[in-house]
Amino acid sequence: MTMLFEPWKQFQHSAVRQLAFSIASPNILSNIPPELSLQHVFDLHPNGFWQQQYENYHPRLLELDQNPQPLIDFLAQLKSTRLGLRFEYLMWFWLQDDMYHHFKLIGHSIQIIQKKQTLGELDFLLFNTQTQQVEHWEVALKYYLAEANLSLPHWYGLNRTDTLQRKLNHFTQKQFQFETVQDHSIQKRFAVLKGQLYLPTIPKNILDNDYLALNIPTWVNQARNIGYWGHHIPQPNYYRLQRQEWICHDATLSSPPAYWWSNGLYKSTEKEQFYMFRQASFICLNVEQL
């Protein structure tokens, strides 16, 4: 098995680990699925881009691990508990530390309003000092569970109306529609799509890390940890991750090994294996299961 680049595990403070993950982790997709119909073209940063950003930022992360108060204070501005917004704030914190990268932040959360109608909102507008180009970034933290033949229409969020295909369509049809913002001509568009993907499991194989000989699409980024999901309770011991640990788990176990299971994300106590447990629908249960 190829060693994964997961440097965030060296840090102790939970918020710093989450920040390191937000920067260093590759996108969940390695490329745009060819079956996606592109209306407005956008790109994904390659894995090496994120590894380089982490290496540049490593000294700052070490400082924050010793004194995380600047990061804590910045995140305290966020009143929502939504993980996607927390991820956006982590990216915002990093982008403002521009002595560690080659981007100048032009604007964040820019609303595009025309005749009192809101047409859309840009997450980040940046000036790339290396290429001398203006870039539009949309950032998202997503967790998708694969079903059926693993093709693009069959990756579902915890809310089944939130599918990977729908998110990608939203990128290309709506979020990347703008060519000029605040008198800046946009030359590059990037989706920063992080989080985790989950494959359906076979109980006896959950610790094998062999992805069950499934025909995984080429656009799934296998340079990162891919989890499993299912309705059964796996062995050996797993513990339930707290909500913010979905971004990056704490350095120490945040709960005892699970005895009572409910819907949520679990991690093995023995290895870096993640499991999304979902209770089967009651209509699928038979008498023997009750």
Side-chain angles (χ1 to χ4, degrees):
M1 179 179 172
T2 304
M3 291 294 293
L4 300 178
F5 181 69
E6 298 182 331
W8 46 85
K9 292 187 288 187
Q10 69 182 278
F11 303 103
Q12 296 303 306
H13 193 276
S14 59
V16 178
R17 289 168 68 91
Q18 293 167 26
L19 176 60
F21 173 88
S22 298
I23 299 165
S25 63
N27 286 301
I28 57 177
L29 306 185
S30 57
N31 54 275
I32 306 297
E35 55 267 52
L36 181 70
S37 178
L38 290 175
Q39 183 173 343
H40 301 285
V41 175
F42 65 95
D43 293 312
L44 299 165
H45 295 101
N47 299 341
F49 171 86
W50 295 113
Q51 183 167 343
Q52 185 62 58
Q53 300 314 309
Y54 166 79
E55 291 173 355
N56 294 344
Y57 203 57
H58 183 250
R60 176 64 167 150
L61 289 167
L62 292 175
E63 291 177 3
L64 289 169
D65 209 27
Q66 295 298 314
N67 176 26
Q69 201 60 48
L71 178 59
I72 293 171
D73 292 343
F74 186 83
L75 293 174
Q77 302 174 79
L78 178 62
K79 305 307 178 184
S80 172
T81 59
R82 288 176 52 195
L83 289 182
L85 284 177
R86 185 175 180 85
F87 172 66
E88 183 177 325
Y89 265 62
L90 290 165
M91 295 295 294
W92 188 13
F93 182 90
W94 166 64
L95 284 169
Q96 290 183 97
D97 263 344
D98 56 16
M99 66 178 292
Y100 297 95
H101 53 71
H102 55 271
F103 300 101
K104 296 293 182 182
L105 182 60
I106 299 171
H108 165 250
S109 193
I110 303 172
Q111 288 192 334
I112 308 300
I113 300 174
Q114 187 177 80
K115 297 180 180 179
K116 298 184 179 181
Q117 180 182 1
T118 301
L119 302 180
E121 183 174 298
L122 282 70
D123 285 343
F124 296 103
L125 190 66
L126 307 168
F127 179 69
N128 186 325
T129 61
Q130 285 188 346
T131 64
Q132 299 292 298
Q133 292 182 326
V134 173
E135 299 181 0
H136 169 199
W137 289 16
E138 287 295 315
V139 304
L141 185 75
K142 290 294 184 179
Y143 304 87
Y144 291 115
L145 283 58
E147 296 183 4
N149 63 356
L150 312 189
S151 62
L152 182 59
H154 298 292
W155 292 79
Y156 297 91
L158 303 184
N159 176 349
R160 288 184 67 85
T161 62
D162 175 22
T163 67
L164 175 58
Q165 185 174 47
R166 180 177 180 178
K167 182 60 180 175
L168 294 176
N169 279 328
H170 189 59
F171 278 143
T172 187
Q173 294 172 8
K174 184 173 177 63
Q175 291 182 282
F176 288 118
Q177 65 177 296
F178 306 106
E179 296 183 359
T180 303
V181 175
Q182 296 182 345
D183 297 324
H184 296 283
S185 178
I186 297 173
Q187 288 131 331
K188 295 289 291 185
R189 297 164 180 83
F190 289 98
V192 179
L193 187 56
K194 303 196 179 186
Q196 193 165 32
L197 300 178
Y198 300 86
L199 299 173
T201 64
I202 298 174
K204 66 180 180 179
N205 288 342
I206 193 167
L207 294 182
D208 293 349
N209 266 346
D210 60 1
Y211 297 148
L212 314 182
L214 293 172
N215 186 22
I216 301 176
T218 57
W219 41 261
V220 170
N221 194 345
Q222 295 189 51
R224 52 170 303 133
N225 197 315
I226 299 176
Y228 296 95
W229 77 274
H231 304 307
H232 68 277
I233 297 176
Q235 296 295 331
N237 291 330
Y238 278 68
Y239 70 99
R240 195 173 194 272
L241 295 181
Q242 307 303 311
R243 184 65 170 160
Q244 289 188 1
E245 288 186 278
W246 286 35
I247 301 178
C248 180
H249 62 88
D250 291 350
T252 57
L253 271 64
S254 58
S255 63
Y259 183 75
W260 300 104
W261 283 65
S262 59
N263 285 345
L265 181 57
Y266 293 76
K267 182 185 178 299
S268 169
T269 59
E270 297 185 355
K271 62 191 303 184
E272 202 73 1
Q273 179 62 64
F274 297 90
Y275 182 74
M276 186 74 77
F277 176 72
R278 306 297 290 169
Q279 292 181 344
S281 171
F282 285 112
I283 61 173
C284 298
L285 296 176
N286 58 39
V287 174
E288 293 180 355
Q289 291 174 301
L290 294 175

